[in-house]
Amino acid sequence: MSLRLLLTFLILIASFRVAEAQHSIEFNSISGFKVFSPGNYALSGMSRGGELAFNFSQRHRSDEWIRRLHITDISLVGGFHNMRSVQIADSLASKGFLQNVFTVSGRLNHKLYEIGRFSMSLTAGLGLAYSTSSYFTDENPIVGSKLNFSPQGGLKLAAAVTPDLSLAAAANIFHYSNAAVRVPNKGVNSFQASVGISYKLPYDDSQKVIDGSLRQDSMRQFFEFAIDAGRRGAWKSTGGNWKSGLSLHYHYPLNNVVNLKAGTDLVYYYTTFDGSEHRYQYFATSYDPIRAGISLGSDIWLGKLVVGMNYGYYLKYNSLHPVKTYWTGTLKYYLTRGIGVQSKLYFHRAQADYLGFGIVFRR
């Protein structure tokens, strides 16, 4: 998108008045100066791209999690990454094998500090990435599927030029992989720098402060039980190996936003390792149908949405590899005070095991 087109778009939207808050439109030009993948593939080359974001201002809201985490905006972001300059090191023939990546994601903007016209923010986002290349369509050795998950995070420095117009520079890390739904699934990472422009939309300053709080029971301890099911992809196959997870954790609230938790995690294998390639699962390869461990972690409550992470130690795991620890990342949404749905991603070191979807109960 050219600067002229962007400015024309901003002029057009300036005629509209936005109720409730002063939202903004933001455009960033992105350069990936270091692209890499874990494992045996060393990459060279740079990526280029851009993103367009609509930032929903949260300054008019009094939700406790927004106040405690200093959330200024929640953003809906669309992005494009041209990866055609990237190649496997020492292989000119591989140049462009990653092709292009399109992303759509949600992002939280957490203000660290503000001095005069300058502000520093921590950004964290999660979304989906569509790669135009994959192993099963182009024999891409790193990206196992066209549809991938894409977390990213970084730091952004903004400078206000006028009350409504700001310039920004940011540094972040961008990642996409498919959570081992199909393998190979090395995934792609990129250290990125960006420069951008942000324009605040006109708004009605007579709006009232909104309290959209969806609190936990204030400082109440509770137990949480969850069950999930998911499939890890089989090596170079569109098939896979199914698993189910069970967990029971005790939660101790530090406040209405952050919980500490401890408990046990169990995973059941519907197919165990018998020496064949299609049942081999890297660090998740197990000879027995059950593995079990204990873990510690924390949850952050963003209203009904809960983001959590745990780190654990195995009490029982008859693994092909000497794996003793694991960690999990969880995204939960509570439909009622006691029942919710969740997605849970299991990891060994930096390697995804499987992504499970299920139900969670708390009492």
Side-chain angles (χ1 to χ4, degrees), residues 26-29 166-169 194-198:
E26 179 180 344
F27 174 77
N28 293 294
S29 176
S166 298
L167 301 178
S194 67
V195 292
I197 184 171
S198 175

Side-chain angles (χ1 to χ4, degrees), residues 64-352:
E64 187 167 357
W65 71 271
I66 290 175
R67 291 188 294 103
R68 284 184 177 272
L69 299 179
H70 303 288
I71 302 298
T72 57
D73 305 277
I74 299 176
S75 305
L76 179 63
V77 187
F80 167 72
H81 300 262
N82 182 341
M83 313 291 284
R84 293 180 180 273
S85 295
V86 179
Q87 68 181 60
I88 298 174
D90 302 323
S91 175
L92 290 175
S94 68
K95 186 174 182 178
F97 78 105
L98 291 179
Q99 299 185 20
N100 299 320
V101 180
F102 300 86
T103 61
V104 59
S105 60
R107 185 167 65 198
L108 295 178
N109 299 290
H110 161 75
K111 181 182 290 185
L112 297 175
Y113 65 85
E114 184 173 19
I115 302 176
R117 291 177 175 266
F118 297 89
S119 64
M120 177 71 76
S121 298
L122 178 68
T123 64
L126 178 65
L128 298 175
Y130 179 82
S131 170
T132 56
S133 172
S134 74
Y135 174 81
F136 295 95
T137 57
D138 306 285
E139 296 186 355
N140 184 325
I142 294 176
V143 181
S145 62
K146 289 196 170 184
L147 187 62
N148 298 270
F149 298 97
S150 179
Q152 55 182 294
L155 289 171
K156 179 171 72 175
L157 177 64
V161 179
T162 71
D164 294 328
L165 189 68
S166 298
L167 301 178
N172 61 69
I173 184 167
F174 165 70
H175 169 85
Y176 66 95
S177 63
N178 68 25
V181 174
R182 286 189 176 180
V183 291
N185 179 50
K186 298 291 186 181
V188 178
N189 306 284
S190 177
F191 287 121
Q192 299 181 151
S194 67
V195 292
I197 184 171
S198 175
Y199 178 79
K200 291 182 180 179
L201 304 178
Y203 77 115
D204 181 359
D205 60 4
S206 64
Q207 79 277 0
K208 298 179 180 179
V209 172
I210 297 175
D211 185 356
S213 298
L214 295 166
R215 307 177 191 277
Q216 306 175 58
D217 298 333
S218 181
M219 301 300 290
R220 185 176 72 88
Q221 304 170 45
F222 61 91
F223 283 93
E224 189 177 67
F225 172 76
I227 181 170
D228 66 68
R231 192 187 74 169
R232 179 188 173 87
W235 176 246
K236 295 183 178 181
S237 168
T238 56
N241 297 284
W242 285 90
K243 303 175 188 179
S244 286
L246 295 170
S247 66
L248 179 64
H249 290 100
Y250 164 77
H251 289 247
Y252 181 83
L254 296 179
N255 50 53
N256 283 332
V257 178
V258 180
N259 282 356
L260 297 180
K261 57 181 179 175
T264 182
D265 306 280
L266 181 148
V267 172
Y268 177 80
Y269 287 69
Y270 294 91
T271 54
T272 56
F273 184 56
D274 60 1
S276 60
E277 184 179 73
H278 71 282
R279 292 192 179 184
Y280 176 68
Q281 302 180 44
Y282 293 90
F283 294 142
T285 305
S286 177
Y287 290 105
D288 293 342
I290 292 177
R291 71 179 195 229
I294 53 175
S295 64
L296 299 172
S298 179
D299 276 353
I300 299 177
W301 289 69
L302 311 177
K304 289 185 176 182
L305 184 67
V306 186
V307 180
M309 184 172 292
N310 271 49
Y311 184 79
Y313 180 83
Y314 281 118
L315 301 177
K316 171 181 170 54
Y317 186 20
N318 188 10
S319 173
L320 175 65
H321 299 284
V323 176
K324 298 296 183 183
T325 60
Y326 64 96
W327 61 286
T328 62
T330 309
L331 191 65
K332 296 174 283 192
Y333 184 83
Y334 270 90
L335 304 171
T336 68
R337 184 173 295 276
I339 302 175
V341 293
Q342 76 163 18
S343 62
K344 185 173 182 178
L345 185 55
Y346 297 77
F347 288 90
H348 296 109
R349 302 174 192 172
Q351 185 183 99

